[in-house]
Amino acid sequence: MKIYPFEVLDSTNDYMKEHRETFQEFDVVMAKNQRAGKGRRGNIWISTEGMALFTFLVKKREQETDEKYMKLPLLAGLAVIRALKNRKELEYQFKWTNDIYLRNKKLAGILVERREDDFFIGIGMNVNNLIPLEIKNIAISLQEVYQETTEIESLIREIVLECEKLLEEYFSGQWEDILQEINAMNYLKGKKIGLRAGNLFVQGIVQRIDENGELELLSQEGLQSFGIGEVVKERILIKLEKNLEIFVKAYILKEANYDVIAYTEEIFEGIWEERLAKLQVKVERNSSLEEMTQKYQAKSLEEYPDIFPLEYYEEEKIKEISKIFA
């Protein structure tokens, strides 16, 4: 394993993909800051210095099927937790499919991408960074818990080594034991959630992660398993207008894992149409609140008066998010 450190990159995943011929398996690209880091489904991360931001390479073994590599996000998540537990025995939890939680708050996120027979495992973890006030209720850092500074490069090395060992266990036939370990720290187990997969939206109670790495959900339709999907909180309707503050609100709600559905009675053209695309939420055009309420059985943003304590949002932070829609 060799670690390649950078002060700043657009994205560690993108850099490693673009230069993949120069890297060996388990080599690491790390950056102090990312300008265009992204999460699953293309969600944008606003990176801050003090985070562990890195990507490492896993190469497909010739004798193994593509299907086996579908479980890489689960294996990477467990590797992160094992490495953290080796440092401090705390109740880290894995949130299907790609997040690490501590004290009911998000500590890290994982993004696995593929190019031919190369897999790029990108991880962003809150380590020494200060969590912005506006997301303190949903995010946490190691420094906040440990009350000390963590040497980031050594932590990254430990995580990648754990992943290397875990892959050997996995390919030697120990998936059943690995799955049991993952389910023992399943953050969603027993929780009532919403699951969004494309146009499908299902609500139910999480049972477990099954043998295929899929989330098993007990819904009104019975026991169902999902291999893909986004776990969300409540569904919220938000009326879009040609007003950047509304776009910022919708963006923050989406990042806070609410199921945001926007509607508008206005015609969006030019720059406003481009901003709609950047927002990446479902938009119903020429629709009224009454129509939306009946169609989606959801409440409007106005019915959640306490969801946006805007006095907690620093002006500079609002400007930073607004730049996404510039």
Side-chain angles (χ1 to χ4, degrees), residues 7-25:
E7 284 294 317
V8 62
L9 289 173
D10 284 341
S11 160
T12 55
N13 266 36
D14 287 349
Y15 184 89
M16 184 165 259
K17 283 188 294 184
E18 290 165 9
H19 302 86
R20 64 194 178 104
E21 297 84 2
T22 64
F23 297 110
Q24 302 297 314
E25 188 168 30

Side-chain angles (χ1 to χ4, degrees), residues 74 81 93-101 106 185-188 193 209 231-233 256-257:
L74 306 181
I81 291 176
Q93 292 180 291
F94 180 76
K95 180 185 173 188
W96 183 92
T97 58
N98 66 328
D99 291 329
I100 308 301
Y101 270 58
K106 183 174 176 177
M185 54 187 77
N186 183 353
Y187 176 76
L188 295 174
I193 66 162
I209 297 169
V231 176
V232 294
K233 297 178 183 176
N257 227 24

Side-chain angles (χ1 to χ4, degrees), residues 76-117:
L78 181 56
V80 170
I81 291 176
R82 283 185 177 182
L84 290 171
K85 279 182 172 288
N86 287 339
R87 287 178 167 243
K88 288 190 186 293
E89 187 66 36
L90 299 174
E91 290 190 20
Y92 307 98
Q93 292 180 291
F94 180 76
K95 180 185 173 188
W96 183 92
T97 58
N98 66 328
D99 291 329
I100 308 301
Y101 270 58
L102 178 61
R103 297 181 179 176
N104 286 315
K105 297 179 180 180
K106 183 174 176 177
L107 176 67
I110 299 163
L111 173 67
V112 178
E113 296 183 294
R114 180 179 185 175
R115 187 167 286 181
E116 295 179 353
D117 286 341

Side-chain angles (χ1 to χ4, degrees), residues 258-272:
Y258 285 90
D259 185 37
V260 177
I261 298 181
Y263 68 99
T264 180
E265 297 172 350
E266 295 189 36
I267 296 174
F268 285 78
E269 298 173 330
I271 186 65
W272 287 102

Side-chain angles (χ1 to χ4, degrees), residues 23-267:
F23 297 110
Q24 302 297 314
E25 188 168 30
F26 300 112
D27 279 353
V28 179
V29 169
M30 63 174 287
K32 287 186 178 179
N33 249 309
Q34 287 191 145
R35 288 185 291 255
K38 58 182 183 294
R40 290 175 65 237
R41 295 167 302 279
N43 292 344
I44 298 169
W45 290 335
I46 300 173
S47 303
T48 58
E49 191 165 343
M51 292 181 69
L53 301 164
F54 64 102
T55 300
F56 62 96
L57 176 64
V58 171
K59 289 185 172 290
K60 184 179 181 297
R61 305 182 184 196
E62 288 185 9
Q63 71 274 23
E64 302 296 349
T65 63
D66 285 354
E67 185 181 358
K68 280 204 169 183
Y69 286 87
M70 296 293 289
K71 300 182 182 73
L72 270 181
L74 306 181
L75 297 170
L78 181 56
V80 170
I81 291 176
R82 283 185 177 182
L84 290 171
K85 279 182 172 288
N86 287 339
R87 287 178 167 243
K88 288 190 186 293
E89 187 66 36
L90 299 174
E91 290 190 20
Y92 307 98
Q93 292 180 291
F94 180 76
K95 180 185 173 188
W96 183 92
T97 58
N98 66 328
D99 291 329
I100 308 301
Y101 270 58
L102 178 61
R103 297 181 179 176
N104 286 315
K105 297 179 180 180
K106 183 174 176 177
L107 176 67
I110 299 163
L111 173 67
V112 178
E113 296 183 294
R114 180 179 185 175
R115 187 167 286 181
E116 295 179 353
D117 286 341
D118 291 336
F119 295 88
F120 306 90
I121 301 179
I123 297 176
M125 183 187 300
N126 297 317
V127 181
N128 299 320
N129 52 308
L130 295 175
I131 303 298
L133 187 60
E134 66 268 21
I135 58 170
K136 265 190 169 294
N137 62 325
I138 59 172
I140 196 168
S141 71
L142 290 182
Q143 187 176 51
E144 182 180 337
V145 179
Y146 292 178
Q147 293 296 299
E148 62 186 24
T149 300
T150 298
E151 208 285 307
I152 291 176
E153 188 168 327
S154 64
L155 175 60
I156 290 173
R157 189 176 296 276
E158 290 163 24
I159 290 170
V160 177
L161 286 173
E162 283 294 337
C163 193
E164 189 174 355
K165 288 191 289 185
L166 190 53
L167 284 170
E168 289 303 319
E169 294 174 29
Y170 176 57
F171 289 121
S172 66
Q174 298 181 52
W175 169 240
E176 190 174 325
D177 293 335
I178 292 169
L179 181 60
Q180 186 175 353
E181 188 176 350
I182 292 171
N183 269 312
M185 54 187 77
N186 183 353
Y187 176 76
L188 295 174
K189 185 176 181 179
K191 286 184 169 65
K192 183 178 180 180
I193 66 162
L195 188 76
R196 183 175 59 204
N199 292 325
L200 178 69
F201 183 77
V202 180
Q203 288 185 306
I205 298 173
V206 174
Q207 304 300 298
R208 62 172 185 144
I209 297 169
D210 70 14
E211 294 78 7
N212 298 315
E214 297 183 345
L215 192 69
E216 195 173 84
L217 196 66
L218 183 61
S219 68
Q220 289 183 338
E221 287 73 32
L223 205 58
Q224 297 176 282
S225 291
F226 297 89
I228 58 171
E230 181 182 7
V231 176
V232 294
K233 297 178 183 176
E234 293 178 79
R235 175 169 276 178
I236 294 181
L237 305 175
I238 185 165
K239 184 177 182 180
L240 287 183
E241 300 169 349
K242 293 176 182 177
N243 180 326
L244 270 183
E245 185 177 314
I246 297 295
F247 275 72
V248 169
K249 284 184 176 183
Y251 176 85
I252 293 171
L253 280 171
K254 185 190 70 168
E255 290 299 291
N257 227 24
Y258 285 90
D259 185 37
V260 177
I261 298 181
Y263 68 99
T264 180
E265 297 172 350
E266 295 189 36
I267 296 174

Side-chain angles (χ1 to χ4, degrees), residues 279-294:
L279 189 55
Q280 294 184 334
V281 300
K282 183 178 179 63
V283 179
E284 294 275 4
R285 300 171 191 265
N286 303 315
S287 298
S288 67
L289 176 59
E290 184 179 0
E291 292 170 329
M292 295 292 289
T293 302
Q294 290 178 352

